[in-house]
């Protein structure tokens, strides 16, 4: 009994072999692994090129030819590669996941091959219902030619052919299109795909005797002059990406096995837009959508390159994120950085043309690279109260570089600050405030200060105390009118005279204003919580210009209600001049003030012009 139990236990523990549903696997490939059925042709080219590479490793003078013939929903691919024996066919073609690059002592030479995952001909079932392979081994010349025929239901047959078939060493693959996929095997489509995938392959590849390789690559060719080279690369960019570049950047990183070119976009793009680059692996197009190839700041270029060091993912349609890719990304970023510094040193006109379009990308780089900030300091444009200037030129003019963190703050203070001789940089645009704050690190001795409402007010001239005392009634009425809006009224003298009033606040004041509004609308519980958050931040202020004739006339009024209406009008006009977004209360105030002024102007007791 114990013996029977032991035998039963051993039987239950014996290994079993996975059964693979080929149709389900093909569906997985076509819908999840590969982005498009077109990759079937890349797999065929890849197998052919790897077979030639394997043969030439043993026979350096062996022919290196790949021929493709497409007609009537069929495709024939011939190569002069290493070929297969009957044993190879059973071990390699009929075993999913097996790769010839792992056998026959070739493991150490796998870097010479394009294929790394042994998927092989399986991808062809995405477009084909039947695959037939006829092959003769170059390693074993005496072996009979062999034929392997497989269907998409997972069945296959293998037979040897007579020796007198007189086949040359190599392999021929025959595909018959599956229903609805005949277009993928048409002559026009095959030619287009072969050119796209194989234009940089090192062997003689032809479709119906039409060569599809175009070597050497455009960036490796010799040209009569730099201008001729620039024109040729611009033409290549237009053919490849559909735009004429502002410039081209050589991407030559021998240690990483990379050769290529980066094309500078002729128009601005969003930094958030992920750039797509074309990457060839040992001549074979790997992907047209490599997004992680360059640093994020280099969003203003599109790259095309060939590499033998980067590692593809299982689908061979993108790059594997590893230390090698990180090192390549850093090296390519350094190459683009060197191009920028070279322009700054020797070609200011081209640099100015580039910065007029892509200054945002350079600013993004300069945030993290002090050397780049130092190099670009004389060139990067900023909006200032002195016009559009570089920070270097602006800092030479002003002992203190004042800046605002938002565009709204800049619009509030720019006209007044400029009239008072205070230089201000608009730091409200992307990266600008960070760069201004970093200025002392690359320009020692530079003083940088954020400009707030208190600083602006301090630069305005105070009114004579006696005059301000005489206007205390007017100021009291104006303050009472704006107090519910969380705004104080201040009287100052400043230029330009044409500005009657200036609305000033800062982030702390706006935060307090938002908290107060939320407290008014909240229930008792939240009102108590928000009330406990009440801070001592300064309130917004309406600065009235005592030098302005309109303010002088309004301040002489005796009608308290009319003073209030005029003050509301000045407040609304100051908000509009600062281009600040209006709250519902502000819009209601503007409407109320406008109607009030109309009623005042049309009142029967309003004096005629001659009586004023």
């Amino acid at each position: 009994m114990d013996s029977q139990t032991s035998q039963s236990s051993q039987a239950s523990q014996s290994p079993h072999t996975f059964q693979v549903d080929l149709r389900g696997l093909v569906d997985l490939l076509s819908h999840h692994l590969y982005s498009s059925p077109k990759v079937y042709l890349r797999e065929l080219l890849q197998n052919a090129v790897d077979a030639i590479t394997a043969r030439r490793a043993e026979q350096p003078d062996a022919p290196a030819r790949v021929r493709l013939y497409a007609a009537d929903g069929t495709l024939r691919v011939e190569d002069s590669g290493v070929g297969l024996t009957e044993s190879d066919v059973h071990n390699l073609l009929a075993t999913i996941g097996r790769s010839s690059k792992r056998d026959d002592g070739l493991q150490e030479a796998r870097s010479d091959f394009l294929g790394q995952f042994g998927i092989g001909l399986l991808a062809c079932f995405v477009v084909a219902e039947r695959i037939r392979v006829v092959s003769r081994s170059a390693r074993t010349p005496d072996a009979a030619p062999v034929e392997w025929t497989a269907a998409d239901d997972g069945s296959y047959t293998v037979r040897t052919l007579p020796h007198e078939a007189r086949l040359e060493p190599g392999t021929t693959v025959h595909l018959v299109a599956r229903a609805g996929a005949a277009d993928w095997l048409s002559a026009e489509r095959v030619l287009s795909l072969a050119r796209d995938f194989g234009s940089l392959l090192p062997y003689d590849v032809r479709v119906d005797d039409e060569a599809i390789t175009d070597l050497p690559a455009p960036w490796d060719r010799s040209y009569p002059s730099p201008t001729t080279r620039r024109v040729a690369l611009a033409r290549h960019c237009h053919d490849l990406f559909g735009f004429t570049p502002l410039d081209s950047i050589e991407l030559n990183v021998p240690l990483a096995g990379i050769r290529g070119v980066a094309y500078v976009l002729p128009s601005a793009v969003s930094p958030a837009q992920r750039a797509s680059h074309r990457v060839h692996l040992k001549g074979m197009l790997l992907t047209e959508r490599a997004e992680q190839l360059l640093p994020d700041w280099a969003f203003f270029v599109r790259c095309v390159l060939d590499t033998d060091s980067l590692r593809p993912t299982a689908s061979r349609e993108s790059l594997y994120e590893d230390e090698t890719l990180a090192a390549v990304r850093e090296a390519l970023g350094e190459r683009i950085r060197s191009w920028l510094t070279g322009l700054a040193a020797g070609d200011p006109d081209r640099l100015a043309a580039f910065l007029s379009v892509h200054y945002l990308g350079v600013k993004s780089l300069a945030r993290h690279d002090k050397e780049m900030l130092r190099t670009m300091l004389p060139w990067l444009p900023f909006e200032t109260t002195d016009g559009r200037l570089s920070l270097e030129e602006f800092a030479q003019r002003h002992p203190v570089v004042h800046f605002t963190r938002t565009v709204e703050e800049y619009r509030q203070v720019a006209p007044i600050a400029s009239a008072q001789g205070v230089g201000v940089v608009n730091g409200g645009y992307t990266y600008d405030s960070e760069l201004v704050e970093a200025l002392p690190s690359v320009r020692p001795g530079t003083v940088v200060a954020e400009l707030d409402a208190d600083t602006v007010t301090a630069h305005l001239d105070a009114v004579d105390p006696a005059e301000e005392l005489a206007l205390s009634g007017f100021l009291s009425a104006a303050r009472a009118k704006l107090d519910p809006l969380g705004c104080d009224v201040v009287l100052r003298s400043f230029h330009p005279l044409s500005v009657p009033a200036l609305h000033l606040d800062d982030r702390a004041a706006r935060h307090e204003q938002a908290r107060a509004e939320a407290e008014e609308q909240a229930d008792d519980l939240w009102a108590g919580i928000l009330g406990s958050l009440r801070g001592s931040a300064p309130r917004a202020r309406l600065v009235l210009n005592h030098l302005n004739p309109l303010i002088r006339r309004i301040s002489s009024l005796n009608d308290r209600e009319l003073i209030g209406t005029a003050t509301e009008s000045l407040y609304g006009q100051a908000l509009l001049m600062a281009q600040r977004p209006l709250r519902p209360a502000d819009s209601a105030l503007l409407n109320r003030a406008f109607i009030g002024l109309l009623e005042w102007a049309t009142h029967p007791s309003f004096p005629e012009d001659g009586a004023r």
Side-chain angles (χ1 to χ4, degrees):
M1 188 70 176
D2 290 342
S3 176
Q4 291 179 352
T5 302
S6 176
Q7 291 176 359
S8 175
S9 175
Q10 291 177 359
S12 65
Q13 296 178 9
S14 61
H16 298 278
T17 301
F18 282 105
Q19 301 298 311
V20 177
D21 179 355
L22 186 58
R23 285 179 175 170
L25 189 56
V26 169
D27 180 73
L28 180 67
L29 288 173
S30 60
H31 290 95
H32 300 283
L33 184 62
Y34 294 129
S35 62
S36 166
K38 70 180 182 180
V39 297
Y40 86 91
L41 193 67
R42 185 194 63 201
E43 295 291 338
L44 288 173
L45 287 175
Q46 175 179 289
N47 287 342
V49 170
D50 282 346
I52 294 172
T53 302
R55 183 177 181 183
R56 284 202 154 186
E58 301 175 6
Q59 305 173 20
D61 296 330
R65 298 187 305 270
V66 181
R67 298 291 184 266
L68 297 90
Y69 304 95
D72 302 324
T74 64
L75 175 64
R76 185 172 84 256
V77 181
E78 302 174 355
D79 71 66
S80 59
V82 70
L84 301 171
T85 63
E86 181 179 2
S87 175
D88 294 332
V89 167
H90 285 290
N91 289 333
L92 304 177
L93 298 187
T95 305
I96 295 172
R98 180 72 61 83
S99 172
S100 61
K101 273 72 80 175
R102 298 190 181 98
D103 297 301
D104 301 319
L106 291 176
Q107 176 69 31
E108 66 279 2
R110 286 182 65 204
S111 62
D112 294 331
F113 296 94
L114 301 175
Q116 297 285 320
F117 296 90
I119 295 176
L121 290 174
L122 193 61
C124 294
F125 280 119
V126 173
V127 298
E129 68 176 8
R130 188 168 72 256
I131 301 174
R132 177 171 164 259
V133 178
V134 178
S135 187
R136 182 179 178 184
S137 175
R139 289 189 186 134
T140 314
D142 296 335
V146 61
E147 177 188 74
W148 177 81
T149 304
D152 60 1
D153 61 1
S155 63
Y156 73 93
T157 60
V158 179
R159 70 185 182 98
T160 57
L161 303 179
H163 281 275
E164 55 270 18
R166 302 181 64 83
L167 294 175
E168 291 293 326
T171 300
T172 300
V173 179
H174 303 261
L175 301 186
V176 177
R178 62 194 301 142
D183 181 61
W184 289 105
L185 272 61
S186 67
E188 182 178 359
R189 180 65 70 90
V190 169
L191 177 61
S192 174
L193 293 178
R195 281 177 173 163
D196 203 33
F197 284 119
S199 63
L200 300 184
L201 289 174
Y203 302 137
D204 179 16
V205 183
R206 298 175 181 268
V207 176
D208 292 326
D209 294 327
E210 185 170 349
I212 62 101
T213 53
D214 187 20
L215 294 175
W219 51 85
D220 285 330
R221 297 173 188 170
S222 298
Y223 297 93
S225 67
T227 300
T228 305
R229 180 181 184 84
R230 189 177 299 119
V231 171
L233 290 178
R235 186 182 305 113
H236 174 252
C237 175
H238 189 274
D239 293 341
L240 201 62
F241 293 115
F243 65 85
T244 300
L246 282 178
D247 205 351
S248 56
I249 307 170
E250 300 288 337
L251 300 179
N252 184 10
V253 188
L255 292 178
I258 286 178
R259 288 284 299 162
V261 61
Y263 293 116
V264 181
L265 293 168
S267 56
V269 294
S270 167
Q273 179 179 330
R274 299 293 293 180
S276 297
H277 311 288
R278 287 176 64 95
V279 177
H280 295 257
L281 180 62
K282 303 180 186 74
M284 182 74 75
L285 178 66
L286 180 71
T287 178
E288 300 172 279
R289 298 184 300 275
E291 295 183 348
Q292 67 273 48
L293 187 65
L294 295 180
D296 290 340
W297 56 260
F299 55 81
F300 50 84
V301 298
R302 295 291 179 270
C303 294
V304 53
L305 55 84
D306 189 24
T307 177
D308 58 15
S309 64
L310 297 179
R311 179 183 170 192
T313 58
S315 67
R316 292 188 288 282
E317 293 186 276
S318 59
L319 299 172
Y320 190 83
E321 185 68 50
D322 57 11
E323 292 181 358
T324 301
L325 179 57
V328 166
R329 183 163 48 235
E330 182 177 349
L332 294 181
E334 180 59 36
R335 186 65 194 85
I336 297 174
R337 184 185 290 108
S338 298
W339 169 79
L340 282 171
T341 55
L343 287 186
D347 200 338
D349 290 338
R350 285 171 64 194
L351 178 63
F354 166 76
L355 288 178
S356 67
V357 178
H358 295 298
Y359 61 89
L360 201 58
V362 179
K363 287 182 176 181
S364 174
L365 170 59
R367 288 184 306 153
H368 308 294
D369 190 324
K370 289 185 179 180
E371 190 58 38
M372 179 56 63
L373 177 58
R374 184 179 292 108
T375 301
M376 292 291 110
L377 208 53
W379 307 100
L380 287 174
F382 287 79
E383 182 180 356
T384 77
T385 49
D386 291 355
R388 197 161 180 81
L389 300 176
S390 69
L391 286 181
E392 174 67 27
E393 186 175 357
F394 187 82
Q396 290 174 358
R397 296 184 181 185
H398 299 278
V400 178
V401 178
H402 289 97
F403 73 98
T404 63
R405 292 192 181 275
T406 68
V407 175
E408 291 78 9
E409 290 173 351
Y410 178 79
R411 288 170 178 166
Q412 287 182 69
V413 303
I416 309 304
S418 178
Q420 308 306 311
V422 179
V424 185
V425 178
N426 185 354
Y429 297 113
T430 306
Y431 310 136
D432 282 10
S433 61
E434 297 175 70
L435 293 176
V436 175
E437 288 181 299
L439 189 56
S441 67
V442 296
R443 196 177 188 275
T446 303
V447 179
V448 173
E450 184 175 354
L451 190 68
D452 55 20
D454 289 335
T455 304
V456 175
T457 305
H459 279 82
L460 304 181
D461 295 333
V463 177
D464 182 84
E467 292 189 48
E468 187 167 1
L469 181 61
L471 297 176
S472 59
F474 160 72
L475 293 175
S476 174
R479 288 167 180 155
K481 199 65 176 178
L482 296 187
D483 184 68
L485 297 174
C487 183
D488 291 332
V489 177
V490 179
L491 188 65
R492 292 288 187 273
S493 296
F494 56 87
H495 292 273
L497 301 180
S498 58
V499 177
L502 175 66
H503 181 271
L504 293 177
D505 66 359
D506 52 26
R507 286 185 303 280
R510 289 195 292 274
H511 175 76
E512 175 61 20
Q513 190 177 64
R515 186 209 59 77
E517 291 176 357
E519 182 180 356
E520 291 179 1
Q521 300 173 5
D523 56 27
D524 292 341
L525 174 60
W526 279 109
I529 295 174
L530 292 170
S532 67
L533 298 176
R534 183 181 294 110
S536 59
R539 305 206 308 170
R541 67 200 70 175
L542 182 68
V543 183
L544 302 180
N545 188 358
H546 186 54
L547 300 179
N548 181 267
L550 176 61
I551 296 298
R552 286 183 174 274
R553 288 198 295 270
I554 294 175
S555 63
S556 65
L557 295 173
N558 294 320
D559 188 331
R560 192 175 180 87
E561 182 177 348
L562 187 55
I563 291 174
T565 301
T567 303
E568 288 180 331
S569 300
L570 291 169
Y571 173 82
Q573 188 262 354
L575 286 180
L576 294 175
M577 289 298 293
Q579 301 184 42
R580 292 290 307 278
L582 299 181
R583 300 169 297 166
D586 297 329
S587 299
L589 175 145
L590 278 172
N591 290 331
R592 183 171 64 248
F594 178 71
I595 294 174
L597 289 176
L598 285 178
E599 290 179 346
W600 177 57
T602 58
H603 195 276
S605 62
F606 186 72
E608 295 295 332
D609 287 346
R612 292 184 198 178

